[in-house]
């Protein structure tokens, strides 16, 4: 259809309707002038109940102070990543994470727009997780203890013939005798959590909880309440609830992808490291906790500091005991050792009797750079064993994107090669993020919807 048939406002409205986030726009008088379907779903309202109505009429539980939209209209200043809890006109509690911005035309403010993410379900999930951790805290085992993360690993289960990695294991055993915080960094899939679990298991805290939390998995306000707990009345419907610091008391709290923790929250973490006290969200009483903090990052911490993703003072506090785990491509001899180990594991799981790999496959594995590291190697072996019809794994059993890495393959046409490369990168990103499409899209720096389309098309 020719472009002259399009109405600009209709195009803009169509775009705002396709965005996978709630969009709510009001004029300077507080009347709703745009309200997309996603926002209506978040708020549990019909669009007809909100559009064209004064905001406080549609949401009577809000007022000029608690409404982020009305606050922006008054202050003419943006509000970023603000958690809001309110009751809709039907009595349902709604919780959203909002970014609210003033709208200017020719220097005059003509309204405010709010982009809202619904995290009610995530909050409920985190609270169920906290309840689960609380019940599991009482479980003790003389050997391999179970927490919310399953069985914990020990240094005896870290397989390596690499001299440098053996040296790191030796250092880790010495760290187990200490009570200082630990920082481990390295590429995704190198075994950072396995390493810190082993330090915990070797330490005097081994009979106490080991609790892990990925800092990239939740928005700031939700992560804060999960870590520190909540006091009754701190937000609508809030109850007294322990956070992970209290649940891990006496044991270890492992914070993965620390560089994803918001800077303000890093300051609160630093205070806990310094004085050992926490305060629940909305509470007035400080509680002392005895928790050993272990953190992991998938980038160099100095780079994270230079990019303002990690507070320098927190880095120096954690850098007393820090360990960089090498990628698999720098531990060439471990590739065959780990492959044999995974073959043994999947023989048992799948009821197979695979004897190993042929020499060409071994050579290919040694040359491949393994961007997903040990995790990618494990998934590759699992794939091959599910597809092979032989008793020895060979190059024909490789996943399709890895087959194209074979030097003996002829050069592909450019279009075909680009599709193969795209498929390979998507597959590697999914391997590195354990199939998490949202995290993979961040890794690939493309929208989640685009990644989902490409997965359906190519994989």
């Amino acid at each position: 259809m020719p472009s002259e048939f399009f109405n600009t406002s209709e195009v803009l409205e169509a775009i705002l309707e396709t965005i996978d986030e709630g969009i709510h726009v009001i004029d300077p008088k507080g009347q709703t002038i745009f309200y997309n379907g996603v926002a209506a779903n978040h708020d549990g309202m019909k669009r007809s109940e909100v559009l064209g109505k004064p905001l406080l009429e549609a949401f009577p539980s809000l007022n000029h102070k608690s409404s982020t939209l009305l606050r922006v209209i008054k202050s003419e200043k943006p509000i970023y990543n603000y958690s809001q809890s309110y009751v809709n006109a039907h009595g349902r509690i709604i919780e959203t994470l909002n970014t609210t911005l003033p709208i200017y035309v020719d220097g005059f403010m003509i309204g405010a727009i709010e982009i809202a993410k619904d995290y009610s379900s995530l909050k409920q999930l985190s609270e169920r997780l906290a309840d689960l951790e609380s019940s599991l805290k009482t479980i003790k085992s003389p050997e391999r203890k179970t927490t919310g993360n399953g069985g914990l690993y020990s240094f005896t289960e870290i397989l390596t013939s690499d001299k440098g990695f053996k040296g790191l294991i030796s250092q880790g055993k010495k760290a187990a005798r200490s009570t200082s915080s630990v920082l481990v960094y390295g590429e995704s899939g190198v075994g950072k959590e396995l390493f810190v679990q082993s330090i915990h298991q070797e330490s005097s805290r081994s009979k106490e909880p080991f609790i892990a939390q990925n800092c990239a998995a939740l928005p700031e306000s939700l992560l804060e309440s999960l870590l520190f707990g909540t006091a009754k009345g701190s937000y609508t419907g809030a109850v007294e609830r322990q956070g992970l610091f209290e649940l891990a008391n006496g044991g270890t709290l492992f914070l993965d992808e620390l560089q994803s923790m918001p800077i303000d929250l890093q300051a609160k973490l630093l205070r806990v490291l310094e004085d050992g006290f926490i305060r629940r969200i909305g509470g007035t009483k400080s509680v002392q906790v005895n928790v050993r903090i272990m953190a992991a990052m998938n980038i160099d911490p100095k780079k994270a500091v230079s990019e303002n993703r990690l507070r320098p003072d927190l880095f120096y506090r954690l850098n007393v005991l820090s360990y960089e785990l090498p990628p698999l491509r720098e531990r060439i001899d471990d590739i065959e050792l780990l492959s044999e180990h995974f073959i043994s594991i999947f023989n048992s799981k799948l009821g197979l009797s695979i004897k190993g790999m042929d020499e060409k496959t071994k050579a290919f594995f040694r040359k491949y750079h393994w961007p997903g590291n040990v995790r990618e190697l494990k998934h590759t072996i699992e794939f091959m064993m599910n597809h092979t019809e032989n008793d020895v794994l060979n190059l024909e059993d490789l996943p399709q994107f890895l087959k194209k890495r074979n030097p003996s393959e002829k050069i592909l046409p450019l279009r075909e090669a680009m599709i193969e490369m795209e498929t390979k990168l998507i597959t590697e990103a999914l391997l590195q993020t354990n199939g998490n499409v949202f995290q993979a899209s961040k890794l690939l720096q493309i929208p989640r919807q685009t990644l989902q389309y490409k997965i359906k098309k190519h994989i």
Side-chain angles (χ1 to χ4, degrees), residues 211-277:
I211 296 179
Q213 176 59 44
N214 189 309
C215 298
L218 301 171
E220 178 178 0
S221 55
L222 181 51
L223 179 60
E224 184 178 6
S225 64
L226 186 61
L227 290 173
F228 292 94
T230 56
K232 187 175 182 179
S234 57
Y235 58 85
T236 305
V239 297
E240 289 288 339
R241 188 177 301 279
Q242 290 181 309
L244 297 186
F245 277 106
E246 290 180 77
L247 293 172
N249 195 29
T252 300
L253 178 59
F254 171 53
L255 300 174
D256 198 8
E257 296 195 56
L258 181 65
Q259 77 281 358
S260 297
M261 178 182 286
I263 292 293
D264 290 345
L265 195 50
Q266 289 182 25
K268 295 184 178 182
L269 171 61
L270 181 62
R271 284 198 293 273
V272 178
L273 286 168
E274 296 291 352
D275 61 27
F277 284 88

Side-chain angles (χ1 to χ4, degrees), residues 382-401:
E382 183 177 9
F383 176 92
M384 295 173 74
M385 292 184 67
N386 271 287
H387 289 80
T388 189
E389 296 181 0
N390 306 300
D391 58 359
V392 175
L393 300 179
N394 59 55
L395 294 176
E396 288 303 311
D397 301 318
L398 288 170
Q400 191 63 30
F401 79 91

